[in-house]
Amino acid sequence: MKRIFTKKFLLMTSITAGLLLATPSLSPAFKGMGAPEGGSGMTSPHGGESDTLDPALMGHQGNTNIIVANVNGREITMGELMQSIMTLMTRGGYGGREMSAEMSRKLRYDALQELAMEELAYQKGISLGITADPAAVQKHLDAKISAAGGRESFDKSLAEQKKTIADVTNEISRFLVVREAINQDVYRKAMVSPEEVDKVYNANKAQFTAPEQVTITDVIFFLDPNDPAAVKKVEETAKKITEEHNNTPSGLAPDGFVVESGVSVSPQDRAGLYEAARKMQPGTLSGPLVIDGTLHLIKLDHYQPAVETPADQAKSAISAQLKRNKRQEMLTEWRNNLVKSADIKITHELLKDEGK
C-alpha cells in the first residue's frame, strides 16, 4: 500500500493578501489559474505554452489527473497544481530564467501550499453557512468579460485554457465565499477600544504636530564686528540689497561675504539666527547682526508655526491603523488555526519530500 505523508502548511496566500488589502478584484489564483483573460492561454514566461515545460521536471509525466494531495477529503490534481504553478510564474518574476530542478521544486512547493490554503479557507466559509450571492457572482463575471474585451474574446480565452463559463463562475463563487468568511471571522471581530487609541495618542503626541519652520537667507561677512567701518559696510550692503536687488541677497556678487540660501534654523540649530528671524516678518531684511562673533544680514524667507493635528483627527488615524494591525494579526492566527485543524495529505511521490 502506498504510504500517505501528512504535512500541514503555513503560508500567506495571494487570496488572503488581496482580501486583507480590501482589493475588489479576484486574486491571481482565482483568475483561472492560467493566463489572464484575453491572453493566449497558459503561456509560460519562458515562451510557448505551459505544456512545453518538461512534464518529468514539473512532476506530472503528462498526466494532469494524478492526485497530488488531499485537503480534508478534497482531492487536488496535478492539473490544478500545474495551473497554480503557472500563476506563480506569471506574477513571480520568473520570465527569462532557466527552469532548473531547484526552481521547479520551489514552484511546486509554493503552489501546493497556496492551493491547500485556499481550499481550507473555502471550506471554512462553507462551514459558516456562507454562499455566494448570484448577483455578486454575475457582477464579477461581467467585469471579467469586459476586461477581456468582450464575450467573444473571453470565450476564446476560455477555450484556450480548456475552461468553461461554469468553471469561472465556480472560481468567483469560491472567492466570494472566502472573502465573506474572512469578513465574518476576522475583520468584523477586529475591534479597537477608545482606551487603546488614547494610550497610543498620549504616547505619540509629538508625531501629530508639524514642527515650526523658519527658513532664511544668511549673508555672512568676513569682517571684524567691532570695527565701525565693517558695520558701515554691512549697512551699505543691506541698502544695496533692498534698493537694487529687491530684497534678494543672492543677486549680489560676493564681496567680502558669502550668501547661504534656504537655511533652516531652530532653537536647536543656529539658535542666534533663529531668535533674530523670529522677530522679523517674511520677506524682510534685517540690519547688521552680530551672532557668535560674526556679522550677518538675514532675510526671513519663510515662517510656519507649529501645527498640531486636531485630537479627533489624530485619534481617527490611530484607530484605523490599530484596526489594520489587529486584522493582520487575527488573519495570521486564523490561517494558522485552519492549518492546525486540517488533515492535509501529500499523495504524490515527487512532492512528499518537498512537504517535509
Side-chain angles (χ1 to χ4, degrees), residues 14-31:
S14 62
I15 182 170
T16 49
L19 292 172
L20 179 62
L21 296 173
T23 53
S25 60
L26 298 181
S27 69
F30 276 78
K31 287 184 177 177

Side-chain angles (χ1 to χ4, degrees), residues 29-98:
F30 276 78
K31 287 184 177 177
M33 297 185 182
E37 288 78 8
S40 57
M42 289 177 59
T43 304
S44 166
H46 308 284
E49 300 300 308
S50 63
D51 59 7
T52 62
L53 295 174
D54 183 352
L57 184 64
M58 299 311 294
H60 65 83
Q61 307 296 336
N63 186 352
T64 58
N65 294 320
I66 295 173
I67 305 302
V68 298
N70 187 298
V71 181
N72 288 341
R74 197 277 200 186
E75 295 177 334
I76 293 178
T77 68
M78 183 61 75
E80 290 176 285
L81 178 59
M82 288 296 295
Q83 289 177 325
S84 184
I85 286 171
M86 290 307 302
T87 299
L88 288 177
M89 290 174 64
T90 300
R91 72 173 189 262
Y94 291 94
R97 296 164 60 187
E98 184 177 352

Side-chain angles (χ1 to χ4, degrees), residues 225-240:
N226 297 313
D227 182 356
V231 174
K232 184 176 181 180
K233 179 176 176 60
V234 174
E235 291 173 340
E236 291 173 349
T237 302
K239 183 177 180 181
K240 190 174 184 180

